Amino acid sequence: MSLPVSPELFVKSDVARIARQLLGKVVVTVHQGVVTSGLIVETEAYSHRERGCHAYQNKMTERNKVMFLEGGHVYVYLCYGMHHMLNVVTNRAGVGDAVLIRALQPLEGIAVMMERMNATAADRITSGPGKLAKAMAIDRSHNGLRFGDSAIRLQEGETLRRSQIVATQRIGIDYAGADARLPWRFYWKDNDWVSKK
DNA sequence: TAGAGGATTGAT
DNA sequence: TCAATCCTCTAC
């Protein structure tokens, strides 16, 4: 399947629902003519209404300004000085919501991804937000692009049943207090490519 | 303008 | 359990 994801998905519902609906979709990147792609198996929702979010209370900064573009834009930032995080901006322009893509199941370009990861096996090369960005050659040059750009796009893939989706609390945001306990991490049940804590 | 810390990862 | 690594944000 290579149907592009309808842009309406990113603006027509709340960010947690969109995070769930992104499971099974396909991320495709083209870097120096090389195509890589993977099924989304893990996501996290971030809403301007809670403390875990870079755009909490809709506060715009130099880093997060892309989050305030219309849903369907690409938000990439550098974490811990070395890892790039891939996010899908959601909601209408002016509202800072986004979905973090945390893990992929590789489809195309597996040999290239292994090479980029210095891996001798295809094992777990995209199981984690920093890893998948490196494997798919995603960096801050993608920040502010729209999904559908020649470098990065989202396509329809597999449709998951409700029973195949697990919701848990998000990872690595203890600073968010009670909001850290929101069940806004979604993953594909029993999928080997989900990141492990 | 200085200082603290982070939506992670991999090695010890 | 801890270091790597650098950009961003906050406070002064």
Side-chain angles (χ1 to χ4, degrees):
Chain A
M1 273 206 242
S2 60
L3 226 55
V5 171
S6 165
E8 292 205 341
L9 171 69
F10 311 116
V11 292
K12 291 279 179 178
S13 59
D14 68 274
V15 67
R17 185 179 169 83
I18 294 168
R20 196 178 315 157
Q21 290 175 326
L22 281 172
L23 294 177
K25 302 279 192 274
V26 179
V27 178
V28 184
T29 66
V30 183
H31 181 249
Q32 295 176 341
V34 178
V35 177
T36 52
S37 71
L39 279 170
I40 298 174
V41 301
E42 180 179 346
T43 60
E44 283 180 357
Y46 288 87
S47 161
H48 67 284
R49 290 189 296 266
E50 45 85 21
R51 289 186 149 75
C53 183
H54 289 169
Y56 177 49
Q57 293 179 326
N58 270 333
K59 187 168 171 193
M60 193 188 297
T61 66
E62 186 56 33
R63 177 178 64 169
N64 74 11
K65 61 186 181 186
V66 166
M67 292 181 76
F68 293 86
L69 298 175
E70 187 184 27
H73 280 85
V74 182
Y75 173 43
V76 178
Y77 67 94
L78 189 63
C79 184
Y80 294 103
M82 63 196 92
H83 304 295
H84 294 280
M85 302 284 121
L86 171 65
N87 293 257
V88 182
V89 175
T90 72
N91 216 319
R92 64 179 193 276
V95 182
D97 292 355
V99 175
L100 171 68
I101 309 299
R102 285 194 56 91
L104 299 175
Q105 176 180 330
L107 293 176
E108 299 166 82
I110 294 176
V112 181
M113 291 194 265
M114 285 170 56
E115 198 175 316
R116 289 173 183 158
M117 298 302 286
N118 254 339
T120 51
D123 191 42
R124 308 198 63 71
I125 49 176
T126 49
S127 296
K131 295 163 78 173
L132 76 87
K134 187 176 180 190
M136 310 249 331
I138 292 165
D139 59 26
R140 280 182 301 171
S141 69
H142 293 80
N143 192 41
L145 296 179
R146 209 174 226 296
F147 281 96
D149 184 276
S150 58
I152 186 165
R153 56 187 194 270
L154 274 171
Q155 295 174 353
E156 291 296 334
E158 300 200 21
T159 303
L160 277 70
R161 293 187 300 277
R162 186 172 287 272
S163 62
Q164 290 176 282
I165 298 174
V166 181
T168 67
Q169 53 185 52
R170 294 168 295 174
I171 292 174
I173 54 164
D174 293 344
Y175 59 83
D179 290 334
R181 293 197 288 277
L182 288 167
W184 282 4
R185 171 180 176 237
F186 304 96
Y187 66 87
W188 188 332
K189 190 178 183 183
D190 297 329
N191 186 297
D192 287 338
W193 294 91
V194 170
S195 75
K196 305 270 194 307
K197 218 183 163 179

